[in-house]
Amino acid sequence: MRPPLAIDSRGVRTALKRAVLGVNSKLGRWNHSNASAAVAPSTAGRSSTNGAAKQKVEDRDLFLDVLGATATRREAKSYLSRFRPESSQQSHQGRPHARSKSQLRNCGVNLGNLYLPVRSIEESPVFSQTESRKTFTDPTTQPLRTALVLLKASETDIDDETLRDVGRTLLQLSRLGLNCVVVVDGQDSHDIDPFERRRRATERADRIVAAIEETRGALARRLDGILNLDSSARVIEPSVKVKGDTIVAARDLLLKPLSRGVIPVVAPVAFDNSLQKTVVLDTKDTILTLTRDLAGLNYLADSHRNDNNINTTKSKPVSLDRIIILDPRGGIPSINRSNGSHVFVNIEQEYEEIQQELSQMQSPENSQALQSHASNLELARDVLAILPPISSAFITTPTAASTTHTKPSTSAPGVGTRTRRNALIHNLLTDKPVFSSSLPVTRLVSWPQHPSISLVDPQPPTFLKRGLPITIFPDPRIKTWSPPTKSNPAFPLSDPSLDLPRLIHLIEDSFGRKLDARAYFERIAPRLAGIIVAGAYEGGAILTWETPPGIEPPSPSSSSETSDSFKPLATDPSRLVPYLDKFAVLQRSQGAGGVADVVFNAMTRECFPLGVAWRSRSANPVNKWYFERARGSWKIPVEEGKQGWTVFWTTDGVGGEKFTDYEGVCRNIGTNWADGKARLD
């Protein structure tokens, strides 16, 4: 038998760095004698207590769960930059039971055959045209990274075993650098007696504490008396909920346990200063109060604490990274998505549309479920509006959050080669949805297809970010994109709403090349279909109507559509190819934040839903990302003295004349770079 693995929280992250980044290739070899010397417990220790052995088994389980949620190299680097472990001196300073140097040396880990590299995961593509940049992080200023976990489940919705496994996952998140604050849902009807509502909320909190502490090494504490309410001083809440009438009156009671690795469990109970009694709060108010406090926006609370001389010790800065909603109903459903669910939500762009979509799905049978989904979406929007743009929200089921390597999820859909993932650990390591939102449904397995989706069944996880507003010129909701005619000319580049210098900067920064702007815009001006811009020109796409070779535009004398200001592009407009001419993302946003996915989704869902074609140099590293999202591709044979192109398209049923048109367009379009060289586009 293999000896159990012994690691501490810093060792987990160090081993993750070695395993995922491949720092030491020798870790992939199993040396039984070395492993036994490094991690096997002594005979005396084994006979004296089973506690150490149990701890090592749990440490091994954590390893396997982390490796089961394997991140790509880029994602692992991003995680390590945000959750960098403290130095040995800092991590052991002030601990009453700090380990000796010899013990620390014996905390090494030999992964051996436990780490089996999966090529499809290791090479999972991201949209990046340059090498990733290293980010300097000062370990002395690392904040206490936290997450708010809302558990929306009653005693009948979640059994004891699942609750224990959820507590185990929360402990694993803590050991991986994300400290969790659990909030109990005050879901009982307001018609119930207030004392009974308070009793139920307290019992739920105690049940969660007991479940968490069943995992060895886990400590949890129900917090009472940290919330205060002043019902006589109702404030007018702005659209961004930076103010409220509920405050965290005793911040130390929250932060001190958190900084010591204890998981606080907060019941939605507050003391009303005006009525001088304890009341049960709305769950949304509880979450927003904790969010404002952890984000440093609770000015009323600071004043209250100072006025009452409450000791607020100087502590480590706090960063609220995300909100996690564990709802038995799962993520946000959709009738407008072919997979029947929203896997990624760009709130700036999609919030109103999704709320309208949920209202259209209303029926007597599913009204309660849809109301819960709508409230989850609204809560995520309000929380993320307060937090920095890098923060995120994640909605999944308690069952998905309890998945382990020994208890795989039986219904979690996803990419076929990626199974047995714990949704929360995967989300922490990657800061992304379970899979990319721009992937075609055909790339997925075990996924309920619309319209057979049932709201009774749990929905797949939904990952949400405040995101970026998407601007499309012209707006396809007002005017459908179609080939230019005399009465419907191409979108003008002189439109005052378009910032042409910033668009040029976006292209040049993304490709790392100087654009011959005059020649380029002269070429695309008569055939421009539209332009997509993400945020403040952080990403974008330029799309055109291209004429396949062999289709000559009519002469001025033979066309009634011809005038001095308009020249038709082809005799048969139906053969014009919708073409992605430029797809650009600022280098600082490549591979992170979902900018490329957001732009790609806008292009394929709103602008050209029937399909679009584009080309890329055959040696372009972005092609891996393109291959996953295209419905078809073709590598153009290389001509002597030229670099080869690969043609991609999202159109169904490409063949015959359409395939010839696509290849002809992609083979013959010229480039407009200032250096005149044929490099990666």
Side-chain angles (χ1 to χ4, degrees), residues 584-657:
V585 177
L586 290 178
Q587 290 188 18
R588 69 168 186 263
S589 300
Q590 291 181 7
V595 178
D597 283 324
V598 167
V599 175
F600 195 89
N601 285 339
M603 175 183 71
T604 56
R605 294 175 182 174
E606 300 182 44
C607 302
F608 284 138
L610 298 181
V612 60
W614 70 95
R615 71 178 184 180
S616 175
R617 297 286 180 186
S618 296
N620 195 335
V622 179
N623 287 352
K624 293 180 181 180
W625 193 86
Y626 287 149
F627 275 119
E628 284 196 344
R629 285 149 184 80
R631 291 190 177 273
S633 62
W634 170 255
K635 191 172 183 178
I636 299 177
V638 181
E639 298 179 10
E640 186 176 354
K642 295 184 179 180
Q643 293 191 29
W645 295 101
T646 299
V647 184
F648 299 91
W649 59 84
T650 61
T651 315
D652 289 329
V654 173
E657 184 179 68

Side-chain angles (χ1 to χ4, degrees), residues 65-66 68-70 165-166 169-170 172-173 176 178 322 324-326 330-331 393-405 407-409 412-413 418-435 459-463:
D65 288 336
V66 168
T70 306
D165 289 334
V166 169
T169 299
L170 297 181
Q172 291 178 337
L173 293 179
L176 290 170
L178 185 67
R322 66 197 68 196
I324 299 169
I325 301 176
L326 302 182
F394 191 66
I395 306 174
T396 188
T397 63
T399 302
S402 67
T403 301
T404 68
H405 73 281
K407 177 190 170 185
S409 176
R418 305 181 187 184
T419 58
R420 302 201 312 179
R421 282 179 174 173
N422 183 292
L424 299 190
I425 293 179
H426 174 268
N427 181 251
L428 171 63
L429 297 181
T430 65
D431 197 34
K432 291 181 179 180
V434 175
F435 58 88
Q459 303 301 307
T462 299
F463 181 68

Side-chain angles (χ1 to χ4, degrees), residues 43-103:
T43 305
R46 218 184 274 118
S47 60
S48 62
T49 179
N50 292 327
K54 290 181 180 178
Q55 181 63 51
K56 291 169 184 175
V57 170
E58 290 166 3
D59 289 338
R60 181 180 61 184
D61 291 345
L62 173 57
F63 254 123
L64 294 175
D65 288 336
V66 168
L67 295 175
T70 306
T72 64
R73 295 191 178 195
R74 180 181 296 273
E75 292 163 350
K77 287 179 180 178
S78 175
Y79 159 76
L80 290 168
S81 68
R82 290 179 291 120
F83 297 89
R84 187 179 301 278
E86 298 176 348
S87 65
S88 300
Q89 182 179 0
Q90 290 173 323
S91 60
H92 295 285
Q93 186 177 14
R95 293 186 182 179
H97 303 289
R99 299 182 179 182
S100 65
K101 292 183 179 180
S102 61
Q103 287 176 309

Side-chain angles (χ1 to χ4, degrees), residues 116 192 267 295 455 484 529 617:
L116 301 176
I192 300 177
L455 292 178
R617 297 286 180 186

